[in-house]
Amino acid sequence: QAKEAGRNQFKLFSPQIQKQVDERIQIETELAHAIENQELELFFQPQVNSQGLCYGAEVLLRWQSTKLGFISPAVFIPIAEETGLIHSIGDWVLAESIHCLRIWRQRYTHLELSVNVSAWQFAGNTFIDKLKVTIEQYQVCPAQLTLELTETSLLHNLQETKIKLAELRKLGFKIALDDFGTGYSSLSYLRDLPLDEIKIDKAFVDEVDGITAQPLVESMISIAKHMQLSVIAEGVETSVQKTALLNMGCPNFQGYYFAKPMNKQDFLVWLEGRDWGEKQ
Ligand code: C2E
Ligand code: MG
Ligand code: MG
Ligand code: MG
């Protein structure tokens, strides 16, 4: 009975919350070894222009944990950010992506890869240097690499961000603003930041045929064009959405309607025999 009481003293949370805490600790523990255990894998989701021609892909990280099974990046990326693991994971994703560009160079000379970069990773002091070293090591053209950043990462320290972005662009890398329209800030930062592309978030694409989203998306495309930025709509799932976006002048697309994210092998099969296009 004493044992029972003793155990109860540690019941700080409800069993349900306790379970969540345990899961979270397990994820942290396993994630710390995911790279050395070779549990991480790059997936590739094709990006196509208005003619439906592929010019590149977004790199999306997948984690198949031996102990925990498949875990979505929406779950483990935030944990990687909170624990600092994002630095080694982010480095790994960039190095692997650049390695792919190197290997595929012979056959797919102009293929572009778009890589997600976390705010913490971008804020790191060595981010640009490491990127530079890797690109030189593999002798890959920086213009084939787009770095996808979100508003939150860019607005954190605006002055420093501007300097970093300018340096990256001077080196030849491209910068995309991911999840555009989902943040809280005004449009004025668009003018202030050196960017190459905006990615219209799926939340808008989902409702692109509705009366509220349509003028919004139309404005986003027109603003981007006026600022000489490229635009891509992400999360396009239906031909209705695609047609609506095309009619609004959207030049580039990504989404299940065109192709789902695929592992390296399937992506190469998908690419086989396809005509190439350019980003518009
Ligand atoms: P994101 O960068 O905005 O990526 C787009 C997400 O939408 C991906 O989810 C993609 O699989 C999904 N998606 C694409 N087309 C469709 C569609 O037509 N319908 C639906 N329902 N979904 C679609 P995923 O792969 O689960 O990644 C989620 C988020 O995790 C990403 O959002 C990104 O923020 C983050 N992430 C993924 N890989 C990395 C990485 O290597 N590094 C970092 N820092 N973050 C990553
Ligand atoms: Mg992205
Ligand atoms: Mg996005
Ligand atoms: Mg997102």
Side-chain angles (χ1 to χ4, degrees), residues 9-22:
Q9 280 177 0
F10 288 95
K11 268 195 185 167
L12 296 172
F13 309 126
S14 72
Q16 204 182 349
I17 292 180
Q18 185 63 52
K19 192 171 160 251
Q20 280 172 17
V21 171
D22 290 345

Side-chain angles (χ1 to χ4, degrees), residues 58 60 116 148 150 177-180 182 199-202 234-235 254:
E58 177 174 5
L60 293 158
N116 292 288
E148 294 193 7
T150 58
L177 184 54
D178 202 356
D179 305 343
F180 182 68
T182 59
K199 297 194 79 172
I200 299 176
D201 194 72
K202 179 175 186 303
E234 63 177 339
Q254 181 187 339

Side-chain angles (χ1 to χ4, degrees), residues 57-105:
E58 177 174 5
V59 175
L60 293 158
L61 188 57
R62 295 291 176 258
W63 178 29
Q64 182 70 43
S65 161
T66 326
K67 289 233 178 83
L68 307 172
F70 177 79
I71 301 190
S72 158
V75 171
F76 75 79
I77 292 288
I79 295 178
E81 289 174 337
E82 284 163 37
T83 52
L85 288 167
I86 194 65
H87 293 285
S88 53
I89 291 175
D91 286 349
W92 184 86
V93 170
L94 277 166
E96 286 290 307
S97 304
I98 293 169
H99 190 206
C100 286
L101 284 174
R102 166 76 200 194
I103 291 174
W104 299 342
R105 185 165 71 164

Side-chain angles (χ1 to χ4, degrees), residues 169-200:
R169 291 184 80 218
K170 210 173 133 203
L171 290 166
F173 298 102
K174 292 183 195 151
I175 313 290
L177 184 54
D178 202 356
D179 305 343
F180 182 68
T182 59
Y184 297 98
S185 38
S186 76
L187 283 176
S188 63
Y189 64 87
L190 265 190
R191 183 192 54 202
D192 286 345
L193 291 172
L195 303 168
D196 298 278
E197 176 177 62
I198 61 171
K199 297 194 79 172
I200 299 176

Side-chain angles (χ1 to χ4, degrees), residues 69-260:
F70 177 79
I71 301 190
S72 158
V75 171
F76 75 79
I77 292 288
I79 295 178
E81 289 174 337
E82 284 163 37
T83 52
L85 288 167
I86 194 65
H87 293 285
S88 53
I89 291 175
D91 286 349
W92 184 86
V93 170
L94 277 166
E96 286 290 307
S97 304
I98 293 169
H99 190 206
C100 286
L101 284 174
R102 166 76 200 194
I103 291 174
W104 299 342
R105 185 165 71 164
Q106 288 290 344
R107 201 172 156 81
Y108 304 109
T109 318
H110 301 293
L111 182 94
E112 296 187 29
L113 287 182
S114 203
V115 180
N116 292 288
V117 173
S118 144
W120 302 100
Q121 203 183 337
F122 181 70
N125 292 327
T126 52
F127 176 70
I128 296 183
D129 284 341
K130 280 190 283 196
L131 200 52
K132 225 162 91 178
V133 168
T134 315
I135 212 101
E136 275 162 16
Q137 185 192 343
Y138 289 113
Q139 294 278 299
V140 162
C141 175
Q144 281 176 270
L145 203 66
T146 297
L147 306 171
E148 294 193 7
L149 291 147
T150 58
E151 247 169 61
T152 0
S153 8
L154 295 179
L155 298 179
H156 174 62
N157 184 342
L158 202 56
Q159 277 318 310
E160 205 183 303
T161 295
K162 276 196 224 173
I163 296 169
K164 277 192 168 177
L165 292 183
E167 196 180 337
L168 285 165
R169 291 184 80 218
K170 210 173 133 203
L171 290 166
F173 298 102
K174 292 183 195 151
I175 313 290
L177 184 54
D178 202 356
D179 305 343
F180 182 68
T182 59
Y184 297 98
S185 38
S186 76
L187 283 176
S188 63
Y189 64 87
L190 265 190
R191 183 192 54 202
D192 286 345
L193 291 172
L195 303 168
D196 298 278
E197 176 177 62
I198 61 171
K199 297 194 79 172
I200 299 176
D201 194 72
K202 179 175 186 303
F204 299 98
V205 172
D206 282 344
E207 292 174 45
V208 83
D209 48 347
I211 32 172
T212 42
Q214 193 158 4
L216 269 177
V217 174
E218 223 160 4
S219 315
M220 288 180 191
I221 294 169
S222 119
I223 288 168
K225 285 186 173 167
H226 277 106
M227 304 189 72
Q228 270 138 3
L229 298 173
S230 178
V231 190
I232 182 167
E234 63 177 339
V236 181
E237 290 183 341
T238 68
S239 82
V240 173
Q241 290 169 352
K242 184 202 76 174
T243 307
L245 287 159
L246 262 181
N247 290 339
M248 294 178 200
C250 183
N252 302 296
F253 303 84
Q254 181 187 339
Y256 293 175
Y257 177 73
F258 299 93
K260 288 200 170 180

